[in-house]
Amino acid sequence: MTAVPPKHQLWHPTRGISFSPAARSPILAPHDARASNEAAATKNHDRTVESAQDGPGTSSLYPDLEALLSSTPKLDAPTPDRAPSRTTNRSAATVPADKPATPSETKIPDDRPIATLSFKMVDDLFRAAKKAPAGSAASFWSYSQYRGTAQDGTEQTVKVHYCQSTHTMERVCRQYFMNEPVLGFDLEWAADSTKRQGLKKNVSLIQLASPSRIGLFHVALFADKADMVGPSFRAIMEDAGVTKCGVAIKGDATRVRNFLGIDSKGLLELSHLYKLVTYSAKGQYNGINKRLVPLATQVEQFLHLPLFKGQDVRSSDWTKRLSMDQVIYSASDAYAGLQLYAALEQQRKQLNPCPPTPYHAELNLPIRIADGVELAVNDDPVVDAAEEPEIEATPVEKPKTTPSSGSSPSPPSRPKDSRIEIAEDRVACYKAAHPTGIRASFPSLRAYYMWHDQGLDPTTIAQLLRDPPLKTATVAGYILSAVQFEKLPVNRERLHLEITSHMPEATLRARFPSIAAMVAGLS
């Protein structure tokens, strides 16, 4: 049963969602979807947002926004306790080896995306966004541009449930998401989080999206209890029959497993489907691999509008009550994943021959270009062409060799440790957030995130990354390079104790002068 929204939660055509008669509309970044499509706003003035409350005394769908806008300090030196928070987002995945065409190289279609779900892009809103100046608030894609039709013929908007307690999350999941066959899925967390800081820093916000609703489950605000997320969400994530789609989704699932004890199934990596559809249509099967493609790239190509990925919102603090900017950002990411899945599936079904949908990502199986025909690709490489060679579409038969007498066969390669996967996901997000000017290498950034975020020492990292292990000095050099070149945050005492104290002082000053200055005086 749909709750009636309070009177103070109304849509204003120029200010967006108003929280109280006296509430002021905050100053918004350019991506603000509330101000978008003003040409059609008068036709949609009755837009409302569904409330998701526990009961008496609990907060409503959105928090009071007054005085909640936050700013993030710039990092101009590697200093402790100055790390911005950011989204994982999947939208911020690494650019694949076959670099996706930029808008200047590929013309984005001017026609409205083909509607395959019950909620469709409104033509007036799409045209208004297309006509808006490039880069303006009105030009970006948003969930607020979609409408559905109720059984009585009335128009419906996409409703957003912002849940700040386990009880509310359980009710919303059970009532609105349990019976959906496909859901958009995403996470946000604090960029400065480490594994030792626990759940609320590492899984700050969980997003689910169906065609008609978006759930924002703010775990960072939940009261501590044995089961933080409730049985319904757990059932959804563990059900292989419910497809959860997103970008870099295995990294998100790894966090959910590590911090919530949920073994997620039914994970659909949108990058796999995007590659399959894009390159099968061109007959370029060697372009099909498992490298990640940013969500924004996929949205612009298949939903025909740009997706705003502003650094100001991405780097904001996801552990505190969400501002309207954060609500729109996180809701749009999850809903984009769902609509993109539908658009890609529609394109896949039109291919001749029609390839099967990629296997669920947790199965670690190859991508199929036709029934019975699989591509020989590695499992989920999260690097670009500069870090890993191109993956061939067809296997190359190696000459058979007869082992010499007394020799033993090579041991099978071990599966990639989940801690490495999480670190590689962080590297992917960092690279997408900083498309130019990155000086640190992929191995350096990966080692840094394993050390800084997960609390691993260089010796353990060396053993995880390779068998036989890397030299500990090599791992230490990786970490120091990442810190110096990217000015990443560190704990001075830990940096000195675990890394710099084992390096000759002259070498440290010569190779890493800024770090030498930072740890000077520590004994």
Side-chain angles (χ1 to χ4, degrees), residues 34-251:
R34 293 171 293 172
S36 64
N37 311 306
E38 293 184 3
T42 55
K43 298 179 65 175
N44 301 287
H45 64 279
D46 56 343
R47 207 174 307 180
T48 58
V49 183
E50 175 105 0
S51 176
Q53 299 183 1
D54 284 328
T58 59
S59 61
S60 60
L61 178 64
Y62 292 107
D64 183 358
L65 292 190
E66 289 190 313
L68 285 182
L69 293 181
S70 60
S71 60
T72 304
K74 282 189 175 181
L75 291 174
D76 43 27
T79 56
D81 305 323
R82 293 186 62 192
S85 297
R86 68 109 176 97
T87 177
T88 61
N89 252 317
R90 292 35 66 188
S91 51
T94 188
V95 177
D98 40 281
K99 180 182 176 182
T102 62
S104 61
E105 298 168 342
T106 300
K107 178 176 173 56
I108 303 304
D110 290 328
D111 55 318
R112 186 181 61 169
I114 297 175
T116 57
L117 297 177
S118 57
F119 275 61
K120 313 175 192 312
M121 172 76 75
V122 176
D123 190 66
D124 286 350
L125 298 179
F126 177 78
R127 298 298 170 196
K130 276 291 185 182
K131 293 177 181 177
S136 66
S139 68
F140 294 110
W141 183 94
S142 171
Y143 70 88
S144 64
Q145 297 157 340
Y146 286 75
R147 299 289 184 276
T149 304
Q151 292 183 348
D152 60 3
T154 58
E155 186 179 74
Q156 291 183 315
T157 60
V158 179
K159 295 179 175 61
V160 177
H161 300 264
Y162 177 38
C163 305
Q164 302 175 56
S165 72
T166 304
H167 177 78
T168 307
M169 178 179 182
E170 167 62 20
R171 180 177 65 80
V172 169
C173 285
R174 184 178 64 250
Q175 186 171 354
Y176 299 121
F177 296 111
M178 279 294 289
N179 297 319
E180 293 290 341
V182 182
L183 293 168
F185 171 63
D186 198 10
L187 293 183
E188 319 291 345
W189 66 79
D192 59 349
S193 63
T194 65
K195 191 172 183 178
R196 291 174 294 183
Q197 290 178 305
L199 169 65
K200 294 184 178 183
K201 278 277 202 176
N202 287 276
V203 184
S204 302
L205 182 71
I206 301 172
Q207 302 111 278
L208 289 179
S210 72
S212 62
R213 297 175 188 273
I214 303 168
L216 304 180
F217 308 118
H218 206 173
V219 179
L221 300 185
F222 288 7
D224 293 328
K225 56 178 62 178
D227 186 1
M228 292 286 288
V229 293
S232 294
F233 176 76
R234 187 177 299 272
I236 290 170
M237 296 304 296
E238 293 180 343
D239 187 351
V242 178
T243 295
K244 280 73 68 175
C245 50
V247 172
I249 196 168
K250 282 186 67 178

Side-chain angles (χ1 to χ4, degrees), residues 7 54 72 127 245 284 287 300 324 363 404 431 507 523:
K7 291 182 179 180
D54 284 328
T72 304
R127 298 298 170 196
C245 50
Q284 299 174 353
E300 189 160 12
M324 177 54 68
L363 300 177
S404 58
K431 282 176 170 282
T507 302
S523 57

